[in-house]
Amino acid sequence: MNIFTKRIAKHLSLPENGVENTLELLNEGCTIPFISRYRKERTGGLNEVQIAQIASLNEKLQEIAKRKETIISTISEQGKLTDELERRINDCWDSTELEDIYLPFRPKRRTRASVAREQGLEPLATILLMQREHKPLQVAERFVKGEVKDVAAALKGAQDIIAEMVSEDERSRYLVRQSFRRNAEIVSKVVKTKMDDEEAAKYSDYFDWREPLRRCSSHRLLAMRRGEAEGFLRVSIKTDDEECVSRLQRNYVKGFGKCQSLVSEAVADGYKRLLEPSIETEFAAMSKEQADDEAIAVFTENLRQLLLSPPLGQKRVMGIDPGFRTGCKVVCLDAQGNLLHHEAIFPHPPVNHRMQATLHVQKMLQDYHVEAIAIGNGTASRETKSFVNDLLNDTVVASKVGTNIQVFIVSEDGASIYSASKTAREEFPDEDVTVRGAVSIGRRLMDPLAELVKIDPKSIGVGQYQHDVDQGKLKKSLDQTVESCVNQVGVNLNTASQHLLMYVSGLGTTLAKNIVDYRAEHGAFTSRSQLLKIPRLGPAAYQQCAGFLRIPGARNPLDNSAVHPESYHIVEQMAKDQGCTVKELIEEKSKRELVDIRNYITEEVGLPTLNDIMHELEKPGRDPREAIEVFEFDPNVKEIDDLAEGMILPGIVTNITNFGVFVDVGVHQDGLVHISQLTNKFVKNPNEVVQLHQHVKVMVKEVDFRRKRISLTMRF
């Protein structure tokens, strides 16, 4: 059994057997989506979140194990490793406690205490700590020699040693740590020299701020830390210093006298100069890590919802990147998202070529048989949608292009990043960034997931403080989220881009490129087994990826389903037992209803897999995403000046934070629905009430026209 199994199982409250098997599968190179989907019998049905938690905790325990090896080796080289000390280190799995044990032995730069030890003053420090001498000044005279010029210097050096001993003592650190846990406050003050800076104004709430650290929300803590990093704030974490010093002195000072006074002074110095700053740094790092984790959790959940936004599907789309002075960039795409045509129109001021724009758009709608129009939600979005609606409502135009063309507003977040990226240049080497951006807008309507995977998740605009959190941890979490979404939806092997394929379980950048190159040379795939012909794609990678790749119209209908090739023989046996083909078993519900899945249970295949197979046969290759809906803003509200308290408006949720949600009501400035205004019930997590891009009704609560802040409520 893995040495960490019991510890992980206990920490996560999961069965040991499931944890053990999950660790084995991870060590074999299996991905989290594969384990979650196709190895339920071995894990006991653990989901992706649980498997990811097991993997993360296993990595942390491995890091601690390596750290313990380093610590034992270092102490052993010093000749100070005892059996008891080694046992304590081996038994310890708390990183903070482990570092406390190691602290007295850790090599460090020269300190006042180390200088005093070099001067031979450690015996004097020991004598003072014993607190038995009534005349410590006379004792100190024996140590006046060499660099120790007088009694005062000898006593000061001894006190420096005591101060360091106090600061490195495990009990002392535990005591102060407990005080910080109970009483610590985070304090923020403005840097006086910068308080009149215009940029500092956004941190004005924290110019003189104080609150208990344990109650400080992640967004406030990250805001303060950002203000500190930008030089506008000075942030500290404080506890009750007098109480800490008093408790430490009670631990070290026994009775009254000159020795006791000297020790008392050393303890106070050790706390103020060494111990308190050390624990403050520890709590600053710990609180930042907790805030990072909360912010990353919000970001990843928003990203998941965005990636799983409803797709329009394979339809001919016109994409419009709206603008005033520079015009609107219009592209026409075929049902596979290929660029057929592009041009610029100028229906808005200052050019105002509205009639010419109308004729051009009408011609494009006719020539390219457009079925839907995607308009970016940036500058001139409302005006462009109004222009398009007027055009489509014209009876003459409608008679030529039809009345079934739907118009959608699409988020532009990250489109400019994509348009200037290497990926966009490779896709459209002969087009400029404006055309690429319009293509991205059109493709986002067709399939948000396939298009958004090309963009750095941090640029998609669904998080807060994403540039302030631990970037390594953020990237790992976001990559896992993208991988999870891609594999949850499944990927069309014959149309997927390299960027989409690289997130499929078991593939990665190289194999994704090899698949695209093979497809370009040999044409569309007709069966999953052809994947084994891809250079460097061996049996192990095939096992991981095959179930997540779809081939519409394949010779074997199971190739367009989530049924894994390793289970094809089960379906074939089911069909044989019913006297029909696999295709007939899929198409005829009456035949499936006659299948008793208990007859197909083996040592390797249990009810979880069999239930998944039957579920998939009902509708092979189903898309788990919801159907897309058309949305309309209030036509009478276009600017923030049009808002008034009490107005009830339609809106779209654009961002979710742990303190509330941002809603676009069509005035170029999102409004905030504070978490307390989401519903009449207590809400711990806004995701319990709303989802990203959900269509909602909100009421205007307050408008700050000067600061352009809109306060909204859903409690009405």
Side-chain angles (χ1 to χ4, degrees), residues 639-658:
E639 303 293 339
I640 193 170
D641 292 338
D642 297 331
L643 296 177
E645 291 182 20
M647 276 185 172
I648 296 178
L649 303 168
I652 299 177
V653 176
T654 59
N655 202 356
I656 301 176
T657 72
N658 54 7

Side-chain angles (χ1 to χ4, degrees), residues 108-368:
K108 53 179 76 72
R109 59 180 176 78
R110 290 189 81 208
T111 63
R112 283 160 50 171
S114 64
V115 171
R117 288 190 178 96
E118 291 169 5
Q119 294 172 344
L121 295 174
E122 191 160 20
L124 177 58
T126 302
I127 292 170
L128 294 180
L129 271 176
M130 292 174 67
Q131 300 170 56
R132 295 175 182 171
E133 293 291 337
H134 297 292
K135 298 179 179 180
L137 296 180
Q138 293 180 5
V139 175
E141 288 178 356
R142 302 203 302 266
F143 294 88
V144 177
K145 54 187 174 182
E147 295 181 11
V148 182
K149 302 300 183 183
D150 51 33
V151 168
L155 291 174
K156 186 68 180 68
Q159 285 181 308
D160 288 340
I161 294 172
I162 294 171
E164 186 172 275
M165 291 171 63
V166 169
S167 73
E168 293 181 348
D169 182 71
E170 289 179 59
R171 293 170 302 169
S172 299
R173 300 183 72 80
Y174 176 80
L175 184 153
V176 176
R177 209 173 270 128
Q178 286 293 92
S179 176
F180 268 79
R181 288 195 184 99
R182 290 193 308 268
N183 307 318
E185 289 186 320
I186 185 165
V187 180
S188 174
K189 301 285 186 182
V190 65
V191 175
K192 295 294 184 183
T193 56
K194 295 191 176 184
M195 66 183 301
D196 295 326
D197 191 305
E198 287 186 11
E199 284 294 308
K202 59 187 176 184
Y203 301 110
S204 58
D205 290 345
Y206 304 107
F207 280 2
D208 187 15
W209 182 267
R210 176 187 295 267
E211 71 174 311
L213 181 63
R214 64 178 182 273
R215 295 180 188 168
C216 183
S217 64
S218 63
H219 66 272
R220 287 201 299 274
L221 189 141
L222 290 172
M224 284 185 264
R225 290 301 182 189
R226 177 186 286 182
E228 181 180 42
E230 293 179 2
F232 300 118
L233 302 176
R234 186 172 290 108
V235 182
S236 59
I237 297 174
K238 298 298 180 185
T239 189
D240 188 332
D241 292 340
E242 290 185 8
E243 181 199 359
C244 286
V245 171
S246 178
R247 292 185 64 185
L248 287 170
Q249 288 173 335
R250 287 199 298 271
N251 282 350
Y252 286 94
V253 181
K254 310 299 179 185
F256 301 93
K258 187 60 178 174
C259 270
Q260 286 80 355
S261 296
L262 291 169
V263 171
S264 181
E265 290 173 6
V267 169
D269 176 57
Y271 171 80
K272 183 177 180 180
R273 182 168 54 85
L274 302 171
L275 187 49
E276 190 270 343
S278 173
I279 302 301
E280 179 185 357
T281 300
E282 184 181 299
F283 271 73
M286 182 176 66
S287 59
K288 173 65 165 55
E289 183 179 7
Q290 290 174 347
D292 283 1
D293 289 344
E294 287 185 38
I296 290 171
V298 170
F299 197 163
T300 52
E301 179 55 31
N302 285 353
L303 178 63
R304 178 182 299 279
Q305 293 178 26
L306 182 63
L307 293 176
L308 296 178
S309 296
L312 179 67
Q314 292 190 327
K315 292 189 177 182
R316 296 180 293 277
V317 169
M318 173 182 285
I320 304 177
D321 185 359
F324 288 115
R325 183 181 56 81
T326 57
C328 301
K329 285 72 182 177
V330 184
V331 298
C332 295
L333 310 174
D334 67 15
Q336 284 70 47
N338 297 309
L339 176 62
L340 303 175
H341 174 79
H342 68 83
E343 63 179 90
I345 59 173
F346 298 84
H348 311 308
V351 181
N352 274 325
H353 288 170
R354 192 175 182 89
M355 181 56 70
Q356 185 185 70
T358 299
L359 294 173
H360 280 242
V361 172
Q362 178 186 332
K363 186 175 188 304
M364 284 185 276
L365 293 174
Q366 289 178 260
D367 290 351
Y368 300 101

Side-chain angles (χ1 to χ4, degrees), residues 488-559:
Q488 181 180 340
V489 171
V491 171
N492 186 327
L493 184 56
N494 285 323
T495 60
S497 66
Q498 179 182 331
H499 260 80
L500 188 57
L501 286 167
M502 65 186 281
Y503 284 104
V504 172
S505 168
L507 292 184
T509 306
T510 301
L511 290 180
K513 183 178 186 303
N514 291 350
I515 288 174
V516 172
D517 292 344
Y518 184 91
R519 191 173 67 198
E521 182 179 350
H522 297 91
F525 287 88
T526 57
S527 73
R528 280 172 169 167
S529 59
Q530 287 177 270
L531 286 164
L532 291 168
K533 297 179 181 179
I534 304 295
R536 301 180 68 178
L537 201 158
Y542 177 76
Q543 180 193 53
Q544 297 297 306
C545 74
F548 302 104
L549 296 169
R550 311 279 187 267
I551 307 177
R555 291 192 297 267
N556 186 339
L558 295 178
D559 281 348

